Structure formats: C-alpha cells, structure tokens
Amino acid sequence: MKNKLNELIKSSIEAKKNSYSPYSKFKVGAAILTEKGNIFSGANVECASYSLTICAERVAAVKAISSGESIFKYIAIATNKKQIAFPCGACLQFLTEFSNDLKIILVKSEKEYKIFEMKDLLPKNFVL
Ligand SMILES: [Zn+2]
C-alpha cells in the first residue's frame, strides 16, 4: 500500500503540470486511488467566466466515474503553493457522493504530505 500511495502522490504532482489556470495561476493536480487499485488524475481547468472553473479534484473524480470506477479510497492533491491547500467545500460534497470514508492526502512534496479523513474535513454532508 505504501508504494501505491507514493505512486498516487507522484500522480497528483504530475497532473498539476496540465493545469489550465491562466487567471489565478493556482495550479492544482489531484489523483484518486479507486477500490480496484487504479489511479485517475486531473488538473484544475479555469474559464474566463470564472464560475465555470472546475477543480482538479472533481476532474479526477469524473474521469474515474466515467471510466466505470466510483468507489474511492484515497485522493492526493498537490498545488503550486508553498503550503498544503484543502479542497473546497464543493469538492468535498462531490467526493462524499462516492466515498464517505475517503482519505485525503494534501501534498506539499513527494516526501511531505498530510493525510486527513473526509469526516474531519466535512463532518456533515448534504444528503437527500
Ligand atoms: Zn474544489
């Protein structure tokens, strides 16, 4: 599992390179490890109409789901900032749709990261 998590962290860092963020210059890469052991990554994609911007976390999630994998174990998130960055509320809500016990790895570098539990970052998610 340690090797798989290292691979996941590297994937999030690599995915950041494809960020389309000409407005904020805030590059984010995310990589999801599914229950089947596959990794899906994504980067944030901005739009001149700012509210249409899509976060890296949701890009990675949509890639996994549309490939037939919707049970997530871990998500690693890397940015181009010096400090780790927490996912936004919208992404947390979106991710809980597919995994209530998701572990969230906030990556500073390959060797420096912190792991959080979904229930700590979003203790009460919206449910229908
Ligand atoms: Zn977000």
Side-chain angles (χ1 to χ4, degrees):
M1 193 53 157
K2 181 76 176 160
N3 282 348
K4 203 67 179 176
L5 291 186
N6 287 343
E7 188 185 338
L8 186 70
I9 288 164
K10 282 182 189 173
S11 280
S12 70
I13 294 168
E14 187 67 26
K16 182 175 60 174
K17 293 176 185 167
N18 292 326
S19 164
Y20 176 76
S21 44
Y23 306 106
S24 72
K25 316 286 189 217
F26 183 49
K27 295 181 180 298
V28 185
I32 289 173
L33 178 64
T34 66
E35 187 181 52
K36 290 181 183 171
N38 293 315
I39 291 174
F40 294 87
S41 65
N44 57 328
V45 181
E46 294 184 343
C47 182
S49 179
Y50 291 170
S51 66
L52 299 179
T53 293
I54 306 172
C55 302
E57 296 91 321
R58 279 178 286 146
V59 171
V62 167
K63 284 171 73 176
I65 297 155
S66 60
S67 298
E69 297 200 42
S70 57
I71 302 174
F72 306 157
K73 304 303 284 180
Y74 287 87
I75 184 169
I77 304 160
T79 76
N80 62 345
K81 299 291 180 192
K82 284 185 181 148
Q83 299 303 316
I84 57 172
F86 288 88
C88 76
C91 283
L92 291 172
Q93 176 66 41
F94 192 87
L95 292 166
T96 60
E97 182 80 20
F98 306 97
S99 176
N100 275 326
D101 61 353
L102 183 69
K103 292 183 179 46
I104 300 158
I105 307 172
L106 302 182
V107 178
K108 202 168 165 187
S109 71
E110 266 186 56
K111 303 260 184 254
E112 283 182 280
Y113 53 86
K114 289 183 178 174
I115 303 179
F116 294 86
E117 302 273 345
M118 175 60 85
K119 64 178 168 43
D120 295 324
L121 300 189
L122 187 68
K124 302 284 183 199
N125 62 310
F126 173 79
V127 287
L128 280 178

